[in-house]
Amino acid sequence: MDIVLIAGLWLRAEVWDPTIEHLADLGHTARAVRLPGVDVGGAEATLADQLDAVLTAVDAAERPLVVGHSAASTLAHLAADRRREGIAGTVLIGGFPTTEGEQYAAFFPLTDGVMPFPGWEPFEGPDSDDLDADARTAIAEAAVPVPGPVVTAAVHYLDPLRTQVPTWELCPEFSPADAQAWIASGDLPELAAAEHLQLADIDSGHWPMVSRPQELARVLTDIANAAPR
């Protein structure tokens, strides 16, 4: 299956390279999206620019599985909204689609118009327990400040039938039971509305493409095998 991979905040597309290699060994063609404002361009990039890059990758693939990590789960969900009939489904790794009208990912303060990586303190615990010192250093040194027009943009969906797109919520630092409880509580309305939602588990922290790329490729293969063609 063709697989489109979207990195979360601060991460360049190259973070997916080990996962892409393992997916190739398993017979899949995976491509990581180069996001404006992170991989290309500068601080003037917008969320619309990033979505355009995602849709370009989707349109160049054959009915792909669209995988979004962390905040980019919303970009994957937006791809489902804009290309409902053109994708096999979405996989959301450790993140949840932003609710209609809310900001994309303004989780930390902006500095000079960008949101820099805040260091490891906010991610201590299950998020990062499986990252050794070298991995933490590599992530922090490679981190790219995300443009303010990306993280502060309001998210808008267009297609009410996006709920029909098969969706997998992949749970790294939290459990499927946790995700189910958050859905039941009303905290995740986009997931609550999904008509074909499955919760999958992976034994990792928040960055499985760094700490468990081979295991992540295997889980994505299981999902690809279950996705409609």
Side-chain angles (χ1 to χ4, degrees), residues 133-226:
D134 288 343
R136 291 186 182 211
T137 298
I139 291 173
E141 290 182 349
V144 178
V146 184
V150 171
V151 297
T152 62
V155 171
H156 295 296
Y157 302 109
L158 305 178
D159 186 354
L161 296 183
R162 66 185 178 277
T163 58
Q164 298 178 356
V165 175
T167 303
W168 285 262
E169 179 66 43
L170 184 53
C171 307
E173 73 273 18
F174 53 87
S175 70
D178 291 331
Q180 187 59 62
W182 297 329
I183 293 168
S185 71
D187 291 336
L188 305 172
E190 286 296 314
L191 290 188
E195 298 176 23
H196 308 284
L197 173 66
Q198 296 189 51
L199 304 178
D201 201 9
I202 184 170
D203 184 17
S204 76
H206 190 66
W207 292 271
M209 73 286 288
V210 175
S211 62
R212 301 284 191 276
Q214 187 170 15
E215 175 68 7
L216 177 58
R218 185 193 64 76
V219 173
L220 291 177
T221 292
D222 289 344
I223 292 172
N225 289 339

Side-chain angles (χ1 to χ4, degrees), residues 6 51 54 66 68 72-83 87 90-92 96-98 155 157 162-163 165 167 189-191 194:
I6 316 167
L51 179 55
V54 171
V66 181
S73 294
T74 297
L75 278 172
H77 195 60
L78 283 165
D81 179 72
R82 305 305 202 263
R83 296 291 190 273
I87 68 174
T90 60
V91 182
L92 315 179
F96 312 103
T98 297
V155 171
Y157 302 109
R162 66 185 178 277
T163 58
V165 175
T167 303
E190 286 296 314
L191 290 188

